[in-house]
């Protein structure tokens, strides 16, 4: 599916401008920041850094060009009545906090109990990535992943657990290393049925390579 169709599908999908005139404006802004911190933006090592930063930002924030609803659109119904939990464990992701634009490095556990329809397992990882590659807070990232799976697949339930280290905690402010934050969102049978929740949490606590 091409970009134009994706854009038509959802007005929330925005486009990062590839316009070169705009790029030169942003490069100038990065040069101003370098000057402000006490650097010489014209020295050899920094001359190409603004354009590298633009490419890095296009990668860090590629999620604004991806539509998670669209990613989940293609489902399979020939499951022979499979109605047990599906879990994708320890999906690695990189995000950036919206308060400091500092990295959030973590893993997500995404589970659902299907209601006739299942989705290709890689799509769950792509949904995590589509939301992670935006300016985020971990709570919202967790809720967005669970909500979109709930809305599009209409499963019996969804569980999402995210564990992540926040570099704005370790490299600035309180300078706290070695902590991570855990958030979860449970919907449907994951919220209502303690057995389902327990089954999911035991998968979350098991090692990924087991
Ligand atoms: Zn932060």
């Amino acid at each position: 599916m091409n970009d134009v169709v994706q854009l038509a599908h959802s007005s929330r999908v925005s486009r990062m401008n590839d316009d070169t005139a705009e790029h030169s404006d942003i490069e100038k802004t990065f040069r101003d920041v370098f000057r402000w911190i006490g650097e010489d933006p014209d020295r050899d090592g920094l001359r190409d850094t603004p354009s590298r930063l633009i490419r890095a930002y296009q990668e860090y924030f590629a999620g604004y060009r991806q539509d998670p609803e669209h990613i989940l659109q293609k489902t399979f119904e020939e499951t022979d009545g499979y109605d047990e939990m599906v879990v994708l464990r320890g999906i690695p992701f990189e995000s950036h906090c919206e308060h400091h634009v500092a990295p959030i490095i973590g893993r997500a556990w995404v589970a659902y109990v299907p209601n006739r329809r299942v989705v290709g397992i890689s799509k769950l990882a792509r949904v995590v990535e589509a939301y992670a590659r935006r300016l985020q807070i971990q709570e919202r990232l967790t809720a967005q992943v669970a909500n979109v799976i709930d809305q599009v697949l209409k499963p019996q339930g969804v569980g999402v657990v995210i564990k992540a280290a926040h570099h704005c905690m370790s490299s600035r402010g309180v300078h706290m290393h070695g902590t991570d934050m855990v958030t979860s969102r449970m919907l449907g049978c994951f919220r209502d049925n303690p057995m389902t929740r327990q089954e999911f949490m035991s998968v979350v606590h098991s090692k990924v390579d087991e």
Side-chain angles (χ1 to χ4, degrees), residues 79-86 114-116 118:
T79 60
D80 281 13
Y82 183 89
D83 61 356
E84 296 295 332
M85 191 179 297
V86 176
N115 186 9
R116 290 191 297 277
V118 299

Side-chain angles (χ1 to χ4, degrees), residues 149-163:
I149 294 169
D150 192 50
Q151 284 155 19
V152 179
L153 293 188
K154 305 203 185 328
Q156 297 181 54
V158 185
V160 175
V161 169
I162 291 180
K163 302 179 185 178

Side-chain angles (χ1 to χ4, degrees), residues 97-102 166 168 172:
C97 83
E98 68 184 24
H99 302 130
H100 308 95
V101 200
H166 290 243
C168 60
R172 54 158 299 286

Side-chain angles (χ1 to χ4, degrees), residues 182-197:
V182 182
T183 47
S184 66
R185 181 155 176 90
M186 307 285 174
L187 300 172
C189 59
F190 286 76
R191 173 169 281 182
D192 303 333
N193 185 340
M195 300 267 285
T196 305
R197 179 190 292 243

